[in-house]
Every structure is written in structure tokens, then in C-alpha cells.
């Protein structure tokens, strides 16, 4: 599930090994509107603008499995995933989607080999630093959710800087879940509500869904509950992601590994969403 998660127009050769990246040297970023990756995309005719979800969430899965048959290290799979995310971010900007939440690293992912975790954290940090200009230019606001107390302090500072620089952007809100878990999110929300009860700010009888939602990590957005969740790699589970927020989310599972998930795949997911009847527990 690891992925380098900030929007960078970094093209990846999918069939040949790439030079090993230096964790201390950020990937080179080119801002382009030349008809290729970053060009404005009109809404495909098979999609209806009025039926687009406000919030799309993505579990970007399959980086290592994409890399293995190509004779590449898992880290190269993470790097290749940048291309897919960049494309999706730009399509969301063009197609009127207001919030995109991506699962970059779960609380369970930190149990992976230390070498892989350390590489990912360094790469995430250098990528975040190098992409600030891109996000500012494109009007993308970045919010990072999760337990950042367990990530390197330098990364914490970088996250704070990126969030501050992009805080007034309105085109798209990109929420990156880093060291995040749905159970963690609910537990920390309950603790905050309990402290308010202890301090006399809230009565136990007044606790409701709204009060809890205001303490969840997704309180950073106007649209905390995704309309559509996409998971790649063929796995049919939500893996402890946004457990509260996904209560009535439409789920879409793609067999593609994340680095291979492209525009046509995104259109298929959105078209599936638009053909569903969303009843939210009621009858129509």
C-alpha cells in the first residue's frame, strides 16, 4: 500500500529498471501543460457532470506485485505509482471532483522491513518538498492525516510546511493518509470526545454522530465521507481505511495494480458509480 503520494509529473519506464534513486535527492519535477500528462481534460462523454462524486478515496495497492515480474525492487513500484497518482490528481482537478483521499501508508505498514519503511519516508519527504510549487500552481490543497508522531521529525516539519503553503488553494483538496488506520481514527476521536466530557464541555447524553465526526481526522474537509472508494490490485477489502467514513460509500475494485491504473480505468470506476442507486439505507 506504500506509495509516493504527492502529484508529480514523473514519467516511469515500466519495463526496464530505473536508476536507483537517492533518498536525499528529490525527483526532478517538470510543470507541463503541453498536451500530455498535465493538460486539462474535458469530461468524457460517458460521464455526467451532475453525477460526479464530491470525494473519491483510493487504496493504491499492488506496487510490489507490479515490480516483481519486471525484476525491479518494491521501491521502484512505489516510484512508478507516482505517474498514476499524478494522472488521477489532474483528472480530478479537471472533472470537478473536490476531494481526493489516498492511502499512502497504514499503521500496519510500519511493521514492514525497516529498510523499506525508511526509504519510503525519505522519498516521501523529498517528493513533498519538490512538489510544493507544482501544487501551488495547480491550486491543490494538501492535508496529511494519521499519527505523524511516529514518522521522522524532518518529515513532520515538511508536512507542516506543505500544508501551510497550500492551505488557501481551492481547486482540489488532496488528503494523504500517512501512518493512518481507521480504528486508530475512531479511537483518537473517542479520546477527544471523552476529554471534552471530562472538562465539562460536552454532556454524555449529547454525544452523537456529528460530535464524533468533528473529531475524526477527516474534519479537515467539507466532504469527509467519500462517495466512491477505489481499490486496485484485485484485493476485495478496505484494509482498515476510513472505517467510519465509508459507511455508505460505493466500493469499486479493480484488478489492475496501481502503477497500471490509468484514465480509462478511472472512467470505468466513475461510470460504475454513476449507474448505482444510492439509497443510504432507505427505499426508493
Amino acid at each position: 500500500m506504500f506509495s509516493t503520494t504527492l502529484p508529480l509529473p514523473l514519467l516511469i519506464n515500466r519495463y526496464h529498471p530505473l536508476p536507483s534513486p537517492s533518498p536525499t535527492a528529490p525527483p526532478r519535477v517538470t510543470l507541463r501543460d503541453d498536451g500530455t500528462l498535465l493538460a486539462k481534460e474535458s469530461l468524457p462523454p460517458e460521464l455526467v457532470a451532475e453525477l460526479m462524486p464530491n470525494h473519491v478515496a483510493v487504496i493504491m495497492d499492488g506496487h510490489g506485485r507490479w515490480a516483481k515480474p519486471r525484476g525491479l525492487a518494491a521501491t521502484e513500484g512505489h516510484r512508478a505509482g507516482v505517474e498514476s497518482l499524478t494522472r488521477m490528481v489532474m483528472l480530478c482537478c479537471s472533472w470537478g471532483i473536490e476531494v481526493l483521499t489516498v492511502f499512502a501508508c497504514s499503521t500496519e505498514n510500519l511493521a514492514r522491513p525497516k529498510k523499506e519503511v525508511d526509504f519510503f519516508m525519505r522519498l516521501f519527504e523529498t517528493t513533498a518538498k519538490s512538489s510544493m510549487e507544482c501544487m501551488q500552481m495547480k491550486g491543490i490543497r494538501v492535508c496529511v492525516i494519521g499519527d505523524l508522531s511516529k514518522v521522522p521529525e524532518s518529515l513532520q516539519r515538511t508536512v507542516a510546511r506543505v500544508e501551510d503553503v497550500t492551505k488557501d488553494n481551492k481547486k482540489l483538496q488532496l488528503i494523504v493518509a500517512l501512518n493512518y488506520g481507521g480504528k486508530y481514527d475512531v479511537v483518537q476521536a473517542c479520546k477527544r470526545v471523552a476529554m471534552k466530557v471530562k472538562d465539562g464541555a460536552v454532556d454524555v447524553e449529547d454525544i452523537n454522530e456529528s460530535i464524533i465526526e468533528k473529531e475524526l481526522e477527516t474534519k479537515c474537509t467539507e466532504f469527509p465521507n467519500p462517495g466512491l472508494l477505489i481499490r486496485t490490485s484485485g484485493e476485495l477489502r478496505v484494509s482498515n481505511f476510513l472505517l467510519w467514513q465509508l459507511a455508505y460509500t460505493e466500493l469499486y475494485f479493480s484488478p489492475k495494480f496501481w502503477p497500471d491504473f490509468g484514465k480509462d480505468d478511472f472512467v470505468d470506476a466513475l461510470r460504475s458509480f454513476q449507474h448505482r442507486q444510492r439509497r443510504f439505507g432507505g427505499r426508493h
Side-chain angles (χ1 to χ4, degrees):
M1 194 179 303
F2 278 129
S3 172
T4 303
T5 55
L6 298 178
L8 292 173
L10 179 63
L11 299 179
I12 304 294
N13 184 326
R14 297 180 173 182
Y15 301 102
H16 300 284
L18 296 172
S20 299
S22 169
T24 58
R28 286 182 288 181
V29 178
T30 304
L31 304 178
R32 303 188 304 182
D33 286 290
D34 60 358
T36 57
L37 187 59
L38 296 185
K40 183 175 178 60
E41 294 270 1
S42 59
L43 190 68
E46 58 265 47
L47 297 178
V48 179
E50 291 76 15
L51 298 179
M52 295 293 282
N54 291 322
H55 184 169
V56 173
V58 183
I59 300 175
M60 305 176 293
D61 196 18
H63 300 82
R65 281 169 286 170
W66 176 91
K68 186 175 181 179
R70 292 168 171 80
L72 303 175
T75 52
E76 296 302 328
H78 305 326
R79 285 167 55 85
V82 174
E83 180 184 349
S84 293
L85 181 59
T86 302
R87 179 167 46 245
M88 178 169 282
V89 167
M90 294 305 135
L91 291 175
C92 287
C93 286
S94 297
W95 293 353
I97 294 170
E98 298 183 65
V99 182
L100 173 65
T101 298
V102 294
F103 205 3
C105 170
S106 72
T107 51
E108 293 80 13
N109 286 154
L110 294 188
R112 291 186 178 183
K114 185 176 185 300
K115 183 178 180 180
E116 182 181 358
V117 174
D118 289 348
F119 176 87
F120 170 78
M121 293 297 175
R122 292 194 298 269
L123 186 58
F124 186 100
E125 181 176 354
T126 54
T127 304
K129 288 178 179 178
S130 67
S131 64
M132 278 191 282
E133 181 182 356
C134 175
M135 291 181 290
Q136 187 66 4
M137 183 177 180
K138 296 296 178 181
I140 299 167
R141 177 189 173 196
V142 177
C143 296
V144 180
I145 63 175
D147 183 5
L148 298 187
S149 68
K150 293 182 174 60
V151 306
E153 291 184 3
S154 60
L155 178 53
Q156 294 179 39
R157 292 191 294 269
T158 297
V159 165
R161 174 62 176 161
V162 172
E163 289 182 329
D164 183 62
V165 167
T166 65
K167 64 183 179 183
D168 295 322
N169 292 342
K170 305 295 184 183
K171 186 69 174 178
L172 173 72
Q173 185 173 9
L174 175 62
I175 301 176
V176 182
L178 178 65
N179 191 30
Y180 173 89
K183 291 181 179 180
Y184 151 82
D185 197 0
V186 173
V187 168
Q188 65 84 27
C190 290
K191 288 181 178 179
R192 292 182 181 180
V193 173
M195 287 301 298
K196 290 185 176 182
V197 171
K198 181 179 178 181
D199 294 340
V202 174
D203 291 331
V204 172
E205 293 77 13
D206 294 331
I207 297 175
N208 55 26
E209 291 182 10
S210 178
I211 286 179
I212 294 175
E213 287 176 351
K214 289 177 182 178
E215 301 299 338
L216 293 170
E217 295 278 288
T218 45
K219 62 183 180 291
C220 61
T221 181
E222 181 182 355
F223 303 104
N225 303 320
L228 172 66
L229 169 73
I230 299 170
R231 178 169 186 154
T232 60
S233 85
E235 302 291 353
L236 306 179
R237 53 182 177 269
V238 297
S239 293
N240 195 23
F241 184 45
L242 299 177
L243 297 182
W244 178 288
Q245 297 88 339
L246 294 179
Y248 285 104
T249 297
E250 298 296 325
L251 308 181
Y252 182 89
F253 299 99
S254 170
K256 295 282 190 72
F257 295 136
W258 176 247
D260 286 331
F261 190 87
K263 176 184 174 182
D264 291 343
D265 302 301
F266 193 22
V267 170
D268 287 344
L270 292 168
R271 186 170 56 212
S272 173
F273 171 83
Q274 294 191 350
H275 281 84
R276 301 184 191 185
Q277 290 186 340
R278 306 193 70 199
R279 293 186 292 273
F280 299 95
R283 294 185 183 273
H284 294 285

